[in-house]
Amino acid sequence: DAKTTQPPSMDCAEGRAANLPCNHSTISGNEYVYWYRQIHSQGPQYIIHGLKNNETNEMASLIITEDRKSSTLILPHATLRDTAVYYCIVRFHTIGGGSNYKLTFGKGTLLTVNP
Amino acid sequence: KAGVTQTPRYLIKTRGQQVTLSCSPISGHRSVSWYQQTPGQGLQFLFEYFSETQRNKGNFPGRFSGRQFSNSRSEMNVSTLELGDSALYLCASSWDGHNQPQHFGDGTRLSIL
């Protein structure tokens, strides 16, 4: 799996949008971008994933650049409960074989939402 | 839909003992993976089970083992515990282990005295 680069920490004001960047310059054609977050003392929580089109769900939006070398996770209205470590992971999706059984986590970004 | 359930949440053991951790996956999920999380090494993959068979294994010593039952529930065993085994052990399930998101439980916090 390709490596990702994330800032170690970010701050955001409560109620504002939180934009978390991720660089994955060596991403290949069938590798998807996944985002997870981990709130203290809990397991990682799946947020969203995508290939090349922008994706949105009830938790967040994922914006992937046209060259797919970077992406941004957007939490539209951050709350104090969104304070967590956010992990950007690149994972290939198998086509007719192979295995992508494991997720490779980096150090992530500690997002602190301030009142 | 119930999430991934791990028991117990906390465990204290002493060196040399063995321990068994349990994981109940999301209903319908057949793949169960185990990870170890420590402050120094982060999240590291231990092994993955699918249909009662260990399909993949990470770089951990043979003291770490696991199994999966016919109902997809999984157990992980660590024998001859060492101080360095103190960690948060996480279980994740997915439908097939491939092109689907893995969903994690809240882990078992194991402390070795």
PDB file of all heavy atoms in Angstrom, chain B residues 10-49:
ATOM      1  N   TYR B  10     -10.939  -4.638  29.811  1.00  0.00           N
ATOM      2  CA  TYR B  10      -9.672  -4.442  30.515  1.00  0.00           C
ATOM      3  C   TYR B  10      -9.225  -5.762  31.134  1.00  0.00           C
ATOM      4  O   TYR B  10     -10.062  -6.565  31.563  1.00  0.00           O
ATOM      5  CB  TYR B  10      -9.810  -3.386  31.624  1.00  0.00           C
ATOM      6  CG  TYR B  10     -10.295  -2.052  31.127  1.00  0.00           C
ATOM      7  CD1 TYR B  10     -11.648  -1.738  31.131  1.00  0.00           C
ATOM      8  CD2 TYR B  10      -9.396  -1.109  30.635  1.00  0.00           C
ATOM      9  CE1 TYR B  10     -12.096  -0.514  30.668  1.00  0.00           C
ATOM     10  CE2 TYR B  10      -9.836   0.118  30.170  1.00  0.00           C
ATOM     11  CZ  TYR B  10     -11.185   0.407  30.184  1.00  0.00           C
ATOM     12  OH  TYR B  10     -11.621   1.617  29.715  1.00  0.00           O
ATOM     13  N   LEU B  11      -7.918  -5.933  31.166  1.00  0.00           N
ATOM     14  CA  LEU B  11      -7.363  -7.174  31.693  1.00  0.00           C
ATOM     15  C   LEU B  11      -5.988  -6.879  32.268  1.00  0.00           C
ATOM     16  O   LEU B  11      -5.183  -6.176  31.640  1.00  0.00           O
ATOM     17  CB  LEU B  11      -7.255  -8.183  30.559  1.00  0.00           C
ATOM     18  CG  LEU B  11      -7.294  -9.675  30.826  1.00  0.00           C
ATOM     19  CD1 LEU B  11      -8.432 -10.062  31.740  1.00  0.00           C
ATOM     20  CD2 LEU B  11      -7.417 -10.423  29.503  1.00  0.00           C
ATOM     21  N   ILE B  12      -5.732  -7.426  33.450  1.00  0.00           N
ATOM     22  CA  ILE B  12      -4.406  -7.299  34.057  1.00  0.00           C
ATOM     23  C   ILE B  12      -3.853  -8.692  34.283  1.00  0.00           C
ATOM     24  O   ILE B  12      -4.525  -9.538  34.889  1.00  0.00           O
ATOM     25  CB  ILE B  12      -4.473  -6.524  35.398  1.00  0.00           C
ATOM     26  CG1 ILE B  12      -5.007  -5.117  35.161  1.00  0.00           C
ATOM     27  CG2 ILE B  12      -3.093  -6.473  36.058  1.00  0.00           C
ATOM     28  CD1 ILE B  12      -5.233  -4.331  36.441  1.00  0.00           C
ATOM     29  N   LYS B  13      -2.660  -8.912  33.782  1.00  0.00           N
ATOM     30  CA  LYS B  13      -2.004 -10.207  33.925  1.00  0.00           C
ATOM     31  C   LYS B  13      -0.572  -9.984  34.391  1.00  0.00           C
ATOM     32  O   LYS B  13      -0.055  -8.861  34.384  1.00  0.00           O
ATOM     33  CB  LYS B  13      -2.002 -10.951  32.584  1.00  0.00           C
ATOM     34  CG  LYS B  13      -3.381 -11.388  32.109  1.00  0.00           C
ATOM     35  CD  LYS B  13      -3.864 -12.574  32.905  1.00  0.00           C
ATOM     36  CE  LYS B  13      -5.163 -13.124  32.350  1.00  0.00           C
ATOM     37  NZ  LYS B  13      -5.636 -14.311  33.138  1.00  0.00           N
ATOM     38  N   THR B  14       0.084 -11.065  34.763  1.00  0.00           N
ATOM     39  CA  THR B  14       1.497 -10.995  35.131  1.00  0.00           C
ATOM     40  C   THR B  14       2.330 -11.749  34.098  1.00  0.00           C
ATOM     41  O   THR B  14       1.803 -12.579  33.328  1.00  0.00           O
ATOM     42  CB  THR B  14       1.742 -11.583  36.526  1.00  0.00           C
ATOM     43  OG1 THR B  14       1.264 -12.931  36.540  1.00  0.00           O
ATOM     44  CG2 THR B  14       1.009 -10.781  37.590  1.00  0.00           C
ATOM     45  N   ARG B  15       3.602 -11.459  34.103  1.00  0.00           N
ATOM     46  CA  ARG B  15       4.509 -12.094  33.142  1.00  0.00           C
ATOM     47  C   ARG B  15       4.445 -13.617  33.252  1.00  0.00           C
ATOM     48  O   ARG B  15       4.341 -14.158  34.351  1.00  0.00           O
ATOM     49  CB  ARG B  15       5.947 -11.639  33.397  1.00  0.00           C
ATOM     50  CG  ARG B  15       6.240 -10.245  32.879  1.00  0.00           C
ATOM     51  CD  ARG B  15       7.669  -9.869  33.123  1.00  0.00           C
ATOM     52  NE  ARG B  15       7.983  -9.817  34.560  1.00  0.00           N
ATOM     53  CZ  ARG B  15       9.190  -9.640  35.053  1.00  0.00           C
ATOM     54  NH1 ARG B  15      10.219  -9.523  34.244  1.00  0.00           N
ATOM     55  NH2 ARG B  15       9.380  -9.597  36.352  1.00  0.00           N
ATOM     56  N   GLY B  16       4.490 -14.259  32.123  1.00  0.00           N
ATOM     57  CA  GLY B  16       4.471 -15.715  32.094  1.00  0.00           C
ATOM     58  C   GLY B  16       3.079 -16.318  31.963  1.00  0.00           C
ATOM     59  O   GLY B  16       2.946 -17.485  31.580  1.00  0.00           O
ATOM     60  N   GLN B  17       2.058 -15.554  32.302  1.00  0.00           N
ATOM     61  CA  GLN B  17       0.694 -16.076  32.174  1.00  0.00           C
ATOM     62  C   GLN B  17       0.273 -16.088  30.714  1.00  0.00           C
ATOM     63  O   GLN B  17       0.981 -15.605  29.829  1.00  0.00           O
ATOM     64  CB  GLN B  17      -0.275 -15.215  32.991  1.00  0.00           C
ATOM     65  CG  GLN B  17      -0.163 -15.397  34.491  1.00  0.00           C
ATOM     66  CD  GLN B  17      -1.252 -14.645  35.225  1.00  0.00           C
ATOM     67  OE1 GLN B  17      -1.477 -13.441  34.996  1.00  0.00           O
ATOM     68  NE2 GLN B  17      -1.939 -15.336  36.121  1.00  0.00           N
ATOM     69  N   GLN B  18      -0.892 -16.644  30.466  1.00  0.00           N
ATOM     70  CA  GLN B  18      -1.476 -16.574  29.132  1.00  0.00           C
ATOM     71  C   GLN B  18      -2.839 -15.892  29.215  1.00  0.00           C
ATOM     72  O   GLN B  18      -3.420 -15.780  30.305  1.00  0.00           O
ATOM     73  CB  GLN B  18      -1.601 -17.962  28.503  1.00  0.00           C
ATOM     74  CG  GLN B  18      -2.711 -18.800  29.071  1.00  0.00           C
ATOM     75  CD  GLN B  18      -3.021 -20.019  28.185  1.00  0.00           C
ATOM     76  OE1 GLN B  18      -2.285 -20.351  27.258  1.00  0.00           O
ATOM     77  NE2 GLN B  18      -4.108 -20.684  28.474  1.00  0.00           N
ATOM     78  N   VAL B  19      -3.320 -15.431  28.070  1.00  0.00           N
ATOM     79  CA  VAL B  19      -4.577 -14.696  28.057  1.00  0.00           C
ATOM     80  C   VAL B  19      -5.349 -15.008  26.775  1.00  0.00           C
ATOM     81  O   VAL B  19      -4.750 -15.281  25.731  1.00  0.00           O
ATOM     82  CB  VAL B  19      -4.305 -13.176  28.173  1.00  0.00           C
ATOM     83  CG1 VAL B  19      -3.609 -12.648  26.929  1.00  0.00           C
ATOM     84  CG2 VAL B  19      -5.589 -12.415  28.439  1.00  0.00           C
ATOM     85  N   THR B  20      -6.665 -14.985  26.880  1.00  0.00           N
ATOM     86  CA  THR B  20      -7.533 -15.186  25.719  1.00  0.00           C
ATOM     87  C   THR B  20      -8.487 -14.012  25.612  1.00  0.00           C
ATOM     88  O   THR B  20      -9.154 -13.664  26.593  1.00  0.00           O
ATOM     89  CB  THR B  20      -8.334 -16.490  25.830  1.00  0.00           C
ATOM     90  OG1 THR B  20      -7.432 -17.593  25.898  1.00  0.00           O
ATOM     91  CG2 THR B  20      -9.245 -16.659  24.627  1.00  0.00           C
ATOM     92  N   LEU B  21      -8.514 -13.399  24.445  1.00  0.00           N
ATOM     93  CA  LEU B  21      -9.395 -12.274  24.175  1.00  0.00           C
ATOM     94  C   LEU B  21     -10.455 -12.707  23.171  1.00  0.00           C
ATOM     95  O   LEU B  21     -10.180 -13.522  22.289  1.00  0.00           O
ATOM     96  CB  LEU B  21      -8.590 -11.097  23.600  1.00  0.00           C
ATOM     97  CG  LEU B  21      -7.290 -10.721  24.331  1.00  0.00           C
ATOM     98  CD1 LEU B  21      -6.638  -9.529  23.644  1.00  0.00           C
ATOM     99  CD2 LEU B  21      -7.548 -10.446  25.792  1.00  0.00           C
ATOM    100  N   SER B  22     -11.640 -12.120  23.294  1.00  0.00           N
ATOM    101  CA  SER B  22     -12.751 -12.543  22.451  1.00  0.00           C
ATOM    102  C   SER B  22     -13.267 -11.401  21.595  1.00  0.00           C
ATOM    103  O   SER B  22     -13.236 -10.236  21.999  1.00  0.00           O
ATOM    104  CB  SER B  22     -13.877 -13.082  23.335  1.00  0.00           C
ATOM    105  OG  SER B  22     -14.973 -13.495  22.557  1.00  0.00           O
ATOM    106  N   CYS B  23     -13.751 -11.757  20.413  1.00  0.00           N
ATOM    107  CA  CYS B  23     -14.286 -10.770  19.479  1.00  0.00           C
ATOM    108  C   CYS B  23     -15.523 -11.339  18.795  1.00  0.00           C
ATOM    109  O   CYS B  23     -15.470 -12.410  18.188  1.00  0.00           O
ATOM    110  CB  CYS B  23     -13.233 -10.415  18.438  1.00  0.00           C
ATOM    111  SG  CYS B  23     -13.840  -9.382  17.076  1.00  0.00           S
ATOM    112  N   SER B  24     -16.629 -10.596  18.868  1.00  0.00           N
ATOM    113  CA  SER B  24     -17.836 -10.954  18.127  1.00  0.00           C
ATOM    114  C   SER B  24     -18.019  -9.948  16.998  1.00  0.00           C
ATOM    115  O   SER B  24     -18.214  -8.758  17.265  1.00  0.00           O
ATOM    116  CB  SER B  24     -19.061 -10.944  19.043  1.00  0.00           C
ATOM    117  OG  SER B  24     -18.975 -11.965  19.996  1.00  0.00           O
ATOM    118  N   PRO B  25     -17.944 -10.397  15.749  1.00  0.00           N
ATOM    119  CA  PRO B  25     -18.020  -9.461  14.629  1.00  0.00           C
ATOM    120  C   PRO B  25     -19.446  -8.978  14.392  1.00  0.00           C
ATOM    121  O   PRO B  25     -20.402  -9.492  14.976  1.00  0.00           O
ATOM    122  CB  PRO B  25     -17.527 -10.290  13.445  1.00  0.00           C
ATOM    123  CG  PRO B  25     -17.916 -11.691  13.801  1.00  0.00           C
ATOM    124  CD  PRO B  25     -17.760 -11.778  15.292  1.00  0.00           C
ATOM    125  N   ILE B  26     -19.579  -8.003  13.518  1.00  0.00           N
ATOM    126  CA  ILE B  26     -20.883  -7.548  13.076  1.00  0.00           C
ATOM    127  C   ILE B  26     -21.580  -8.715  12.382  1.00  0.00           C
ATOM    128  O   ILE B  26     -20.944  -9.474  11.630  1.00  0.00           O
ATOM    129  CB  ILE B  26     -20.731  -6.343  12.132  1.00  0.00           C
ATOM    130  CG1 ILE B  26     -20.230  -5.136  12.921  1.00  0.00           C
ATOM    131  CG2 ILE B  26     -22.039  -6.016  11.424  1.00  0.00           C
ATOM    132  CD1 ILE B  26     -19.855  -3.946  12.055  1.00  0.00           C
ATOM    133  N   SER B  27     -22.867  -8.848  12.632  1.00  0.00           N
ATOM    134  CA  SER B  27     -23.623  -9.946  12.054  1.00  0.00           C
ATOM    135  C   SER B  27     -23.471  -9.972  10.527  1.00  0.00           C
ATOM    136  O   SER B  27     -23.645  -8.949   9.852  1.00  0.00           O
ATOM    137  CB  SER B  27     -25.105  -9.793  12.420  1.00  0.00           C
ATOM    138  OG  SER B  27     -25.877 -10.812  11.830  1.00  0.00           O
ATOM    139  N   GLY B  28     -23.120 -11.144   9.990  1.00  0.00           N
ATOM    140  CA  GLY B  28     -22.943 -11.282   8.548  1.00  0.00           C
ATOM    141  C   GLY B  28     -21.517 -11.108   8.084  1.00  0.00           C
ATOM    142  O   GLY B  28     -21.174 -11.487   6.954  1.00  0.00           O
ATOM    143  N   HIS B  29     -20.682 -10.530   8.925  1.00  0.00           N
ATOM    144  CA  HIS B  29     -19.263 -10.365   8.565  1.00  0.00           C
ATOM    145  C   HIS B  29     -18.519 -11.675   8.783  1.00  0.00           C
ATOM    146  O   HIS B  29     -18.642 -12.299   9.833  1.00  0.00           O
ATOM    147  CB  HIS B  29     -18.619  -9.257   9.398  1.00  0.00           C
ATOM    148  CG  HIS B  29     -19.012  -7.889   8.969  1.00  0.00           C
ATOM    149  ND1 HIS B  29     -18.401  -6.746   9.455  1.00  0.00           N
ATOM    150  CD2 HIS B  29     -19.948  -7.460   8.080  1.00  0.00           C
ATOM    151  CE1 HIS B  29     -18.938  -5.678   8.892  1.00  0.00           C
ATOM    152  NE2 HIS B  29     -19.891  -6.090   8.054  1.00  0.00           N
ATOM    153  N   ARG B  30     -17.717 -12.060   7.791  1.00  0.00           N
ATOM    154  CA  ARG B  30     -17.026 -13.335   7.883  1.00  0.00           C
ATOM    155  C   ARG B  30     -15.524 -13.180   8.094  1.00  0.00           C
ATOM    156  O   ARG B  30     -14.836 -14.147   8.391  1.00  0.00           O
ATOM    157  CB  ARG B  30     -17.292 -14.124   6.605  1.00  0.00           C
ATOM    158  CG  ARG B  30     -18.768 -14.467   6.411  1.00  0.00           C
ATOM    159  CD  ARG B  30     -19.057 -14.881   4.994  1.00  0.00           C
ATOM    160  NE  ARG B  30     -18.380 -16.119   4.641  1.00  0.00           N
ATOM    161  CZ  ARG B  30     -18.250 -16.575   3.396  1.00  0.00           C
ATOM    162  NH1 ARG B  30     -18.741 -15.870   2.393  1.00  0.00           N
ATOM    163  NH2 ARG B  30     -17.650 -17.710   3.147  1.00  0.00           N
ATOM    164  N   SER B  31     -15.022 -11.983   7.905  1.00  0.00           N
ATOM    165  CA  SER B  31     -13.597 -11.742   8.093  1.00  0.00           C
ATOM    166  C   SER B  31     -13.373 -11.027   9.418  1.00  0.00           C
ATOM    167  O   SER B  31     -14.055 -10.045   9.722  1.00  0.00           O
ATOM    168  CB  SER B  31     -13.055 -10.886   6.946  1.00  0.00           C
ATOM    169  OG  SER B  31     -11.773 -10.396   7.255  1.00  0.00           O
ATOM    170  N   VAL B  32     -12.429 -11.538  10.187  1.00  0.00           N
ATOM    171  CA  VAL B  32     -12.061 -10.898  11.449  1.00  0.00           C
ATOM    172  C   VAL B  32     -10.546 -10.709  11.462  1.00  0.00           C
ATOM    173  O   VAL B  32      -9.797 -11.653  11.234  1.00  0.00           O
ATOM    174  CB  VAL B  32     -12.489 -11.754  12.660  1.00  0.00           C
ATOM    175  CG1 VAL B  32     -11.943 -11.143  13.946  1.00  0.00           C
ATOM    176  CG2 VAL B  32     -14.000 -11.863  12.724  1.00  0.00           C
ATOM    177  N   SER B  33     -10.133  -9.489  11.717  1.00  0.00           N
ATOM    178  CA  SER B  33      -8.704  -9.170  11.816  1.00  0.00           C
ATOM    179  C   SER B  33      -8.387  -8.681  13.217  1.00  0.00           C
ATOM    180  O   SER B  33      -9.234  -8.080  13.877  1.00  0.00           O
ATOM    181  CB  SER B  33      -8.331  -8.073  10.811  1.00  0.00           C
ATOM    182  OG  SER B  33      -8.517  -8.506   9.493  1.00  0.00           O
ATOM    183  N   TRP B  34      -7.161  -8.933  13.630  1.00  0.00           N
ATOM    184  CA  TRP B  34      -6.701  -8.474  14.938  1.00  0.00           C
ATOM    185  C   TRP B  34      -5.518  -7.536  14.750  1.00  0.00           C
ATOM    186  O   TRP B  34      -4.634  -7.769  13.903  1.00  0.00           O
ATOM    187  CB  TRP B  34      -6.273  -9.662  15.800  1.00  0.00           C
ATOM    188  CG  TRP B  34      -7.411 -10.508  16.289  1.00  0.00           C
ATOM    189  CD1 TRP B  34      -7.980 -11.572  15.645  1.00  0.00           C
ATOM    190  CD2 TRP B  34      -8.112 -10.374  17.530  1.00  0.00           C
ATOM    191  NE1 TRP B  34      -8.990 -12.096  16.413  1.00  0.00           N
ATOM    192  CE2 TRP B  34      -9.091 -11.392  17.578  1.00  0.00           C
ATOM    193  CE3 TRP B  34      -8.003  -9.510  18.624  1.00  0.00           C
ATOM    194  CZ2 TRP B  34      -9.955 -11.544  18.663  1.00  0.00           C
ATOM    195  CZ3 TRP B  34      -8.861  -9.665  19.702  1.00  0.00           C
ATOM    196  CH2 TRP B  34      -9.823 -10.679  19.721  1.00  0.00           C
ATOM    197  N   TYR B  35      -5.488  -6.484  15.571  1.00  0.00           N
ATOM    198  CA  TYR B  35      -4.406  -5.508  15.558  1.00  0.00           C
ATOM    199  C   TYR B  35      -3.943  -5.256  16.990  1.00  0.00           C
ATOM    200  O   TYR B  35      -4.726  -5.346  17.936  1.00  0.00           O
ATOM    201  CB  TYR B  35      -4.877  -4.172  14.971  1.00  0.00           C
ATOM    202  CG  TYR B  35      -5.236  -4.197  13.508  1.00  0.00           C
ATOM    203  CD1 TYR B  35      -6.468  -4.684  13.075  1.00  0.00           C
ATOM    204  CD2 TYR B  35      -4.366  -3.691  12.544  1.00  0.00           C
ATOM    205  CE1 TYR B  35      -6.814  -4.695  11.730  1.00  0.00           C
ATOM    206  CE2 TYR B  35      -4.702  -3.681  11.195  1.00  0.00           C
ATOM    207  CZ  TYR B  35      -5.925  -4.190  10.806  1.00  0.00           C
ATOM    208  OH  TYR B  35      -6.257  -4.188   9.471  1.00  0.00           O
ATOM    209  N   GLN B  36      -2.668  -4.914  17.110  1.00  0.00           N
ATOM    210  CA  GLN B  36      -2.126  -4.490  18.382  1.00  0.00           C
ATOM    211  C   GLN B  36      -1.787  -3.008  18.283  1.00  0.00           C
ATOM    212  O   GLN B  36      -1.188  -2.577  17.300  1.00  0.00           O
ATOM    213  CB  GLN B  36      -0.840  -5.274  18.702  1.00  0.00           C
ATOM    214  CG  GLN B  36      -0.200  -4.904  20.039  1.00  0.00           C
ATOM    215  CD  GLN B  36       1.241  -5.392  20.147  1.00  0.00           C
ATOM    216  OE1 GLN B  36       2.108  -4.950  19.397  1.00  0.00           O
ATOM    217  NE2 GLN B  36       1.489  -6.293  21.078  1.00  0.00           N
ATOM    218  N   GLN B  37      -2.165  -2.241  19.291  1.00  0.00           N
ATOM    219  CA  GLN B  37      -1.848  -0.821  19.279  1.00  0.00           C
ATOM    220  C   GLN B  37      -1.055  -0.449  20.528  1.00  0.00           C
ATOM    221  O   GLN B  37      -1.508  -0.679  21.661  1.00  0.00           O
ATOM    222  CB  GLN B  37      -3.110   0.042  19.202  1.00  0.00           C
ATOM    223  CG  GLN B  37      -2.809   1.527  19.070  1.00  0.00           C
ATOM    224  CD  GLN B  37      -4.050   2.372  18.838  1.00  0.00           C
ATOM    225  OE1 GLN B  37      -5.147   2.018  19.263  1.00  0.00           O
ATOM    226  NE2 GLN B  37      -3.888   3.488  18.138  1.00  0.00           N
ATOM    227  N   THR B  38       0.124   0.094  20.324  1.00  0.00           N
ATOM    228  CA  THR B  38       0.964   0.598  21.407  1.00  0.00           C
ATOM    229  C   THR B  38       1.388   2.013  21.080  1.00  0.00           C
ATOM    230  O   THR B  38       1.413   2.409  19.904  1.00  0.00           O
ATOM    231  CB  THR B  38       2.224  -0.267  21.590  1.00  0.00           C
ATOM    232  OG1 THR B  38       2.985  -0.246  20.366  1.00  0.00           O
ATOM    233  CG2 THR B  38       1.885  -1.696  21.946  1.00  0.00           C
ATOM    234  N   PRO B  39       1.732   2.811  22.094  1.00  0.00           N
ATOM    235  CA  PRO B  39       2.153   4.200  21.828  1.00  0.00           C
ATOM    236  C   PRO B  39       3.386   4.270  20.921  1.00  0.00           C
ATOM    237  O   PRO B  39       3.489   5.154  20.085  1.00  0.00           O
ATOM    238  CB  PRO B  39       2.453   4.739  23.227  1.00  0.00           C
ATOM    239  CG  PRO B  39       1.632   3.908  24.148  1.00  0.00           C
ATOM    240  CD  PRO B  39       1.619   2.539  23.526  1.00  0.00           C
ATOM    241  N   GLY B  40       4.283   3.313  21.058  1.00  0.00           N
ATOM    242  CA  GLY B  40       5.516   3.381  20.289  1.00  0.00           C
ATOM    243  C   GLY B  40       5.383   2.875  18.860  1.00  0.00           C
ATOM    244  O   GLY B  40       5.956   3.457  17.940  1.00  0.00           O
ATOM    245  N   GLN B  41       4.637   1.819  18.656  1.00  0.00           N
ATOM    246  CA  GLN B  41       4.536   1.177  17.338  1.00  0.00           C
ATOM    247  C   GLN B  41       3.248   1.497  16.591  1.00  0.00           C
ATOM    248  O   GLN B  41       3.114   1.155  15.420  1.00  0.00           O
ATOM    249  CB  GLN B  41       4.658  -0.339  17.493  1.00  0.00           C
ATOM    250  CG  GLN B  41       5.977  -0.794  18.098  1.00  0.00           C
ATOM    251  CD  GLN B  41       7.153  -0.443  17.218  1.00  0.00           C
ATOM    252  OE1 GLN B  41       7.082  -0.568  15.995  1.00  0.00           O
ATOM    253  NE2 GLN B  41       8.227   0.028  17.825  1.00  0.00           N
ATOM    254  N   GLY B  42       2.297   2.120  17.261  1.00  0.00           N
ATOM    255  CA  GLY B  42       1.030   2.400  16.603  1.00  0.00           C
ATOM    256  C   GLY B  42       0.226   1.128  16.407  1.00  0.00           C
ATOM    257  O   GLY B  42       0.358   0.167  17.151  1.00  0.00           O
ATOM    258  N   LEU B  43      -0.589   1.129  15.361  1.00  0.00           N
ATOM    259  CA  LEU B  43      -1.443  -0.030  15.065  1.00  0.00           C
ATOM    260  C   LEU B  43      -0.691  -0.997  14.165  1.00  0.00           C
ATOM    261  O   LEU B  43      -0.248  -0.633  13.081  1.00  0.00           O
ATOM    262  CB  LEU B  43      -2.706   0.431  14.348  1.00  0.00           C
ATOM    263  CG  LEU B  43      -3.858   0.848  15.239  1.00  0.00           C
ATOM    264  CD1 LEU B  43      -4.511   2.102  14.728  1.00  0.00           C
ATOM    265  CD2 LEU B  43      -4.877  -0.282  15.301  1.00  0.00           C
ATOM    266  N   GLN B  44      -0.577  -2.238  14.613  1.00  0.00           N
ATOM    267  CA  GLN B  44       0.108  -3.255  13.823  1.00  0.00           C
ATOM    268  C   GLN B  44      -0.791  -4.462  13.637  1.00  0.00           C
ATOM    269  O   GLN B  44      -1.429  -4.937  14.587  1.00  0.00           O
ATOM    270  CB  GLN B  44       1.408  -3.671  14.518  1.00  0.00           C
ATOM    271  CG  GLN B  44       2.452  -2.565  14.576  1.00  0.00           C
ATOM    272  CD  GLN B  44       3.761  -3.096  15.105  1.00  0.00           C
ATOM    273  OE1 GLN B  44       3.887  -3.385  16.287  1.00  0.00           O
ATOM    274  NE2 GLN B  44       4.735  -3.235  14.231  1.00  0.00           N
ATOM    275  N   PHE B  45      -0.780  -4.980  12.432  1.00  0.00           N
ATOM    276  CA  PHE B  45      -1.622  -6.114  12.065  1.00  0.00           C
ATOM    277  C   PHE B  45      -1.072  -7.404  12.657  1.00  0.00           C
ATOM    278  O   PHE B  45       0.121  -7.696  12.543  1.00  0.00           O
ATOM    279  CB  PHE B  45      -1.677  -6.206  10.549  1.00  0.00           C
ATOM    280  CG  PHE B  45      -2.355  -7.425  10.012  1.00  0.00           C
ATOM    281  CD1 PHE B  45      -3.735  -7.514   9.979  1.00  0.00           C
ATOM    282  CD2 PHE B  45      -1.616  -8.494   9.545  1.00  0.00           C
ATOM    283  CE1 PHE B  45      -4.366  -8.640   9.472  1.00  0.00           C
ATOM    284  CE2 PHE B  45      -2.232  -9.628   9.032  1.00  0.00           C
ATOM    285  CZ  PHE B  45      -3.612  -9.696   9.002  1.00  0.00           C
ATOM    286  N   LEU B  46      -1.957  -8.168  13.296  1.00  0.00           N
ATOM    287  CA  LEU B  46      -1.573  -9.461  13.863  1.00  0.00           C
ATOM    288  C   LEU B  46      -1.925 -10.612  12.919  1.00  0.00           C
ATOM    289  O   LEU B  46      -1.070 -11.354  12.478  1.00  0.00           O
ATOM    290  CB  LEU B  46      -2.284  -9.673  15.202  1.00  0.00           C
ATOM    291  CG  LEU B  46      -1.649  -8.968  16.400  1.00  0.00           C
ATOM    292  CD1 LEU B  46      -2.688  -8.745  17.481  1.00  0.00           C
ATOM    293  CD2 LEU B  46      -0.497  -9.792  16.942  1.00  0.00           C
ATOM    294  N   PHE B  47      -3.210 -10.799  12.671  1.00  0.00           N
ATOM    295  CA  PHE B  47      -3.656 -11.849  11.750  1.00  0.00           C
ATOM    296  C   PHE B  47      -5.102 -11.620  11.365  1.00  0.00           C
ATOM    297  O   PHE B  47      -5.809 -10.808  11.973  1.00  0.00           O
ATOM    298  CB  PHE B  47      -3.490 -13.268  12.323  1.00  0.00           C
ATOM    299  CG  PHE B  47      -3.582 -13.391  13.814  1.00  0.00           C
ATOM    300  CD1 PHE B  47      -4.757 -13.102  14.484  1.00  0.00           C
ATOM    301  CD2 PHE B  47      -2.483 -13.801  14.542  1.00  0.00           C
ATOM    302  CE1 PHE B  47      -4.836 -13.222  15.848  1.00  0.00           C
ATOM    303  CE2 PHE B  47      -2.547 -13.924  15.917  1.00  0.00           C
ATOM    304  CZ  PHE B  47      -3.732 -13.633  16.581  1.00  0.00           C
ATOM    305  N   GLU B  48      -5.509 -12.360  10.342  1.00  0.00           N
ATOM    306  CA  GLU B  48      -6.868 -12.273   9.820  1.00  0.00           C
ATOM    307  C   GLU B  48      -7.441 -13.671   9.651  1.00  0.00           C
ATOM    308  O   GLU B  48      -6.728 -14.590   9.200  1.00  0.00           O
ATOM    309  CB  GLU B  48      -6.906 -11.544   8.478  1.00  0.00           C
ATOM    310  CG  GLU B  48      -8.327 -11.314   7.946  1.00  0.00           C
ATOM    311  CD  GLU B  48      -8.533 -11.816   6.529  1.00  0.00           C
ATOM    312  OE1 GLU B  48      -7.604 -12.400   5.943  1.00  0.00           O
ATOM    313  OE2 GLU B  48      -9.652 -11.612   6.004  1.00  0.00           O
ATOM    314  N   TYR B  49      -8.684 -13.828  10.019  1.00  0.00           N
ATOM    315  CA  TYR B  49      -9.376 -15.099   9.865  1.00  0.00           C
ATOM    316  C   TYR B  49     -10.585 -14.923   8.958  1.00  0.00           C
ATOM    317  O   TYR B  49     -11.263 -13.878   8.989  1.00  0.00           O
ATOM    318  CB  TYR B  49      -9.824 -15.640  11.230  1.00  0.00           C
ATOM    319  CG  TYR B  49      -8.681 -16.209  12.015  1.00  0.00           C
ATOM    320  CD1 TYR B  49      -7.886 -15.382  12.806  1.00  0.00           C
ATOM    321  CD2 TYR B  49      -8.366 -17.559  11.943  1.00  0.00           C
ATOM    322  CE1 TYR B  49      -6.813 -15.896  13.508  1.00  0.00           C
ATOM    323  CE2 TYR B  49      -7.288 -18.078  12.634  1.00  0.00           C
ATOM    324  CZ  TYR B  49      -6.516 -17.232  13.415  1.00  0.00           C
ATOM    325  OH  TYR B  49      -5.447 -17.735  14.103  1.00  0.00           O
TER     326      TYR B  49
END
